[in-house]
Amino acid sequence: MSSPSERYSAARDAADHPHTTAFAAGQRFELDPFQIEGCHALERGHSVLVAAPTGAGKTIVGEFAIHLAMQTPKDKAFYTTPMKALSNQKFRELVEVYGADQVGLLTGDTNINGNARIVVMTTEVLRNMIYADSTALRDLRYVVMDEVHYLADRFRGAVWEEVIIHLPQQVRLVSLSATVSNAEEFGDWLDTVRGDTEVIVSEIRPVPLEQHVLVRDDLLPLFDDRAGVATAQVNQELMRIRSFTGSRYDSNREAQGYRSDRHAGRQAQRPRGGHKPARAANVRRIERVDRPDVVRLLERANLLPAIFFIFSRVGCDAAVQQVRRSGIRLTTVEERAEIRAIVEERTRALQEEDLGVLGYWDWLDNLERGVAAHHAGLLPAFKEVVEELFRLKLVKAVFATETLALGINMPARTVVLEKMEKFNGEARVAITSGEYTQLTGRAGRRGIDVEGHAVVQWTEGMDPQAVAALASRRTYPLNSSFRPTYNMAVNLIDLFGKTRARQILESSFAQFQADRAVVGLARQVREAEESLAGYRKSMACEHGDFLEYAAIRRELSDLEKKNRQDSHGSRAEREKRVKRIQTLRTRMQRHGCHNCPDREAHARWAERYWKLKRQNDRIRRQIETRTGTVARVFDRVVEVLDTLDYVTGTGAETALTDAGRTMRRIYGERDLLVAESLRQGLWAGLDAPSLAAMACCLVYEPRRDEANSGERGLPRGAFRAAYEKTSTLWAQLDDLEKDHHLPGSEPLAAGLAGAMHSWARGALLDRVLIDADMAAGDFVRWAKQTIDLLDQLSIVAEDGALARTARAALDGVRRGIVAYSSM
């Protein structure tokens, strides 16, 4: 029973924050303190940044903003996410609360009820609406930016900063972030550009996380429970196992006649007697428990449903097949019937002839067993079904890549990490503490589990101390990836003029962080200046200016040293140097300080002075390079646009040309190349499949290991000529960017052009996937990006024929599995 003071405090809160009280009363769970704090801040009219662990329930604060908007007759609320899958999921959740007539969805390829008072969208859609000054922004009161830490994303992060900077000031911003180590710094920036922003940080998980290491068939605690959580002391049994496998086991093998070969990963060698060894079974279990055995172990321990994170698509698919071959079945007869009914309902729009190509029947059989894979290569329709079945507790074991950890609501009782390293495209690297936190954050379902469980599988060479450090550290800094683009530049100039645009860019988080660094460097400069003044005082000499005398000595010493080392220089250079040495020696001997009895003591202070001055000058140069860095890049971008006649005039008189106004509506990595290709008419005369193939070349990014296929498989006819002209134009623009000290871009990638051409012509899916040499999910992803560009071309192409061709190409690409949407 609560005390009188607690009841009084609760009554006062209810009176001061009636909307929060009413909202909290309608929730399934009692709100946590950080959630209440966030809601109170919004009710007071402030913006908020909420940084909390995965699964802590920070989206409640975003949902409260929507609740506030709906308390008035006209206010609107937008909910932005970084991914279409997240937008789809949030759309469904909000429709359940507010009804289909009040909620809309805008994700580029999906447009549902876009004029509703609550609209869920990807962040890029909101950015485009702001630049277009869309009427949908009227009466906008709240914008929720879910997963706002995406602004660190190298390719898409700038969009988040653009939205934050350009939203009308009256709009309250709700920024929801994973736990980051510099939340206060990010909050300070939000307060600077948005005003009245409260920072709310919580590191408390609503469901405690138990950490385990799977050794043989034992789940051992990672931390020693007796030592207490605060000490985070590693379980000594794990340390003994490491010691045993690293030393005594090798010794035992030597005693049995085996030769240890650490460089070969301790692979078993032939014994000296010539007989082929059999590796000890208990050692195999220490290194790796078979996946089916792990699933059975978790089932026996009542630790399902579980997500197994495997950092490879091939590994995920292989894991599902291993479990299937083992005969495991985790579902009841009733659950299997329910699974089949849901799958048939969700996939009935897919064409019958495509199901076999997509491996539908094996996939369905795996689902009915309660197991599934989840990765980017999976067809979006299949991924959505896996997510739904997992949330319904019908699928019990999912083998997934780390993309599953990025925001999708799929909490599990247990998360299993098979390895503590992953391939980053170039090399195998250890996962970071931030990644470990993000992955294990899926463990523990609020209202269902008393605790979540993170299981790390023992591997040879594992260091329990290193795993414990990852599990206990919370270092995930949020760093800006903002950089001005051509599209951004023309939009800003058109809306605000060049001078104001420059000032706006200087308010970016990127510049804020750079300036914060400059503040630290400037402090070093000030401290050094104080020290230099002290050195000057210590070397003060009544016989003259010792600093001047020390400068002569220093130059003389440097020249004499160079003269000794330079035996290959020209005679004229040596003679000139000798003459200078003689002059300096004479000046030094005639200087008043030369005869000072304390000359060498003063000289030691002078040496310290010059050494510190060199360091200080270097720091000053660093400051000069950091100050105004974003604005300087903007200036270079505008110079390129001016060279190509996208802008005209200088300074405050800078304005867009007709070409510049066209570029306002071209978004993407290749905005300049697309605009120039349109202006030069390089794609005139292409038919719809060829234009689809060309658009694909502009958006497609091949894998690092993908061989350059040259012209093999390229569509014939007009496409090849257009492709060569576009590639030549790319090279010219790349040279121009390099001349203006801009990074340039990658060459066009034609690896998917032939397959996209065939698809747009109506080819069957199996033929196209063979030509594309990729998974169905990957092909759909690139097809949708191709659609995005074709959609832009259909709007901005001044040539009516090209616009019509773009629309025909859109229809050709948007069919079958590409057109499928669960919305």
Side-chain angles (χ1 to χ4, degrees), residues 127 131 154-159 161-162 165-166 480-493 498 501-511 628-641 663 666 668-672 737 740-744:
R127 187 271 312 271
Y131 281 159
R154 177 181 159 202
F155 299 105
R156 299 172 58 208
V159 175
E161 291 192 47
E162 288 178 83
I165 292 169
H166 298 310
S480 173
S481 61
F482 185 84
R483 61 178 178 84
T485 64
Y486 297 106
N487 171 271
M488 186 192 304
V490 293
N491 273 291
L492 290 177
I493 290 171
K498 184 182 175 185
R502 209 174 185 278
Q503 293 170 351
I504 288 171
L505 292 177
E506 286 179 332
S507 69
S508 66
F509 187 45
Q511 191 58 56
T629 49
V630 175
R632 276 203 300 276
V633 174
F634 172 72
D635 290 339
R636 293 169 192 161
V637 166
V638 174
E639 287 169 8
V640 171
L641 292 170
M663 185 183 278
I666 299 172
E669 289 287 312
R670 298 193 184 273
D671 46 11
L672 182 61
E737 289 178 311
H740 286 83
H741 306 290
L742 291 168

Side-chain angles (χ1 to χ4, degrees), residues 427-712:
R428 298 207 69 83
V429 296
I431 64 173
T432 65
S433 59
E435 288 168 332
Y436 183 91
T437 302
Q438 189 85 1
L439 294 167
T440 58
R442 290 279 151 221
R445 300 162 299 173
R446 190 168 187 173
I448 301 174
D449 299 320
V450 176
E451 73 240 339
H453 298 268
V455 177
V456 176
Q457 285 195 251
W458 183 274
T459 55
E460 189 172 6
M462 176 183 284
D463 180 1
Q465 293 277 16
V467 178
L470 283 179
S472 58
R473 193 162 56 235
R474 296 290 182 268
T475 53
Y476 183 71
L478 184 61
N479 294 314
S480 173
S481 61
F482 185 84
R483 61 178 178 84
T485 64
Y486 297 106
N487 171 271
M488 186 192 304
V490 293
N491 273 291
L492 290 177
I493 290 171
D494 194 51
L495 289 170
F496 307 108
K498 184 182 175 185
T499 304
R500 173 72 180 128
R502 209 174 185 278
Q503 293 170 351
I504 288 171
L505 292 177
E506 286 179 332
S507 69
S508 66
F509 187 45
Q511 191 58 56
F512 185 83
Q513 288 191 303
D515 289 342
R516 278 283 176 101
V518 166
V519 169
L521 292 172
R523 184 171 59 250
Q524 292 181 44
V525 168
R526 286 196 303 273
E527 291 170 354
E529 292 287 2
E530 292 172 4
S531 297
L532 289 170
Y535 294 164
R536 281 195 297 269
K537 187 175 180 180
S538 297
M539 71 171 112
C541 179
E542 59 185 20
H543 296 275
D545 184 350
F546 201 90
L547 196 58
E548 180 184 70
Y549 175 74
I552 297 171
R553 275 181 51 146
R554 189 169 194 81
E555 185 181 355
L556 177 61
S557 175
D558 289 345
L559 285 173
E560 287 177 336
K561 182 179 179 181
K562 190 170 185 179
N563 211 34
R564 289 192 300 271
Q565 294 175 344
D566 186 13
S567 58
H568 303 291
S570 68
R571 182 175 179 180
E573 286 177 356
R574 287 177 61 83
E575 288 178 351
K576 182 179 178 182
R577 198 156 49 236
V578 168
K579 189 174 180 180
R580 177 63 178 165
I581 288 172
Q582 291 170 347
T583 301
L584 289 170
R585 198 170 281 150
T586 300
R587 284 181 60 195
M588 182 184 72
Q589 291 168 353
R590 291 177 179 176
H591 199 285
C593 295
H594 190 63
N595 297 316
C596 175
D598 297 321
R599 183 185 70 190
E600 293 310 312
H602 293 162
R604 285 192 290 273
W605 285 109
E607 188 61 33
R608 294 174 189 172
Y609 175 90
W610 288 112
K611 183 177 181 181
L612 182 58
K613 188 175 186 304
R614 278 200 308 271
Q615 293 175 354
N616 208 35
D617 289 344
R618 188 165 59 247
I619 294 172
R620 284 182 180 277
R621 287 192 294 273
Q622 280 183 267
I623 290 175
E624 290 170 3
T625 58
R626 293 193 183 200
T627 304
T629 49
V630 175
R632 276 203 300 276
V633 174
F634 172 72
D635 290 339
R636 293 169 192 161
V637 166
V638 174
E639 287 169 8
V640 171
L641 292 170
D642 183 50
T643 302
L644 297 170
D645 295 323
Y646 284 88
V647 298
T648 183
T650 59
E653 303 301 317
T654 305
L656 302 187
T657 62
D658 289 342
R661 280 186 283 277
T662 297
M663 185 183 278
R664 279 197 62 188
R665 295 172 293 173
I666 299 172
Y667 302 97
E669 289 287 312
R670 298 193 184 273
D671 46 11
L672 182 61
L673 179 59
V674 171
E676 272 296 280
S677 297
L678 286 175
R679 188 161 68 160
Q680 296 183 24
L682 301 188
W683 304 333
L686 291 180
D687 60 13
S690 296
L691 187 59
M694 182 60 68
C696 181
C697 292
L698 292 162
V699 300
Y700 178 58
E701 297 171 14
R703 300 187 305 271
R704 282 188 176 91
D705 59 349
E706 189 173 316
N708 185 359
S709 59
E711 294 190 354
R712 182 175 56 82

Side-chain angles (χ1 to χ4, degrees), residues 290-308:
D290 289 340
R291 285 162 177 155
D293 291 336
V294 178
V295 172
R296 290 190 180 98
L297 184 152
L298 295 180
E299 184 183 25
R300 288 195 302 271
N302 194 28
L303 292 179
L304 295 179
I307 299 172
F308 293 72

Side-chain angles (χ1 to χ4, degrees), residues 249-275:
Y249 169 57
D250 286 340
S251 300
N252 290 342
R253 296 178 76 205
E254 292 287 351
Q256 295 173 29
Y258 300 112
R259 182 164 50 84
S260 176
D261 186 355
R262 289 177 176 81
H263 296 291
R266 292 196 178 102
Q267 296 297 313
Q269 306 292 318
R270 286 189 180 277
R272 295 189 185 100
H275 300 291

